[in-house]
């Protein structure tokens, strides 16, 4: 039983998956922030064009 626990504690494959998950999450947060900011700027420009047309 001690060998099984020691082998489980030494296994590093799960740590790599967690690291990749954290990196993917960080990238997603950056993309969401950029799209939100860009969307607000584009909406402002479209509103300005629409107001100038009328």
């Amino acid at each position: 039983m001690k060998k099984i626990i020691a082998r489980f504690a030494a296994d590093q494959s799960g740590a790599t998956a967690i690291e990749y998950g954290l990196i993917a999450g960080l990238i997603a947060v950056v993309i969401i922030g950029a799209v939100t900011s860009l969307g607000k700027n584009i909406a402002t420009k479209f509103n300005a064009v629409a107001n100038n047309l009328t």
Side-chain angles (χ1 to χ4, degrees), residues 8-9 11 23-24 35 39 41-43 46-47 49-50 54:
F8 179 75
D11 187 17
I23 291 170
V35 168
N41 290 338
I42 290 174
F46 277 128
N47 287 332
V49 169
T54 56

Side-chain angles (χ1 to χ4, degrees), residues 28-43:
V29 167
V30 169
I31 289 172
I32 290 169
V35 168
T36 302
S37 175
L38 183 63
K40 288 178 183 177
N41 290 338
I42 290 174

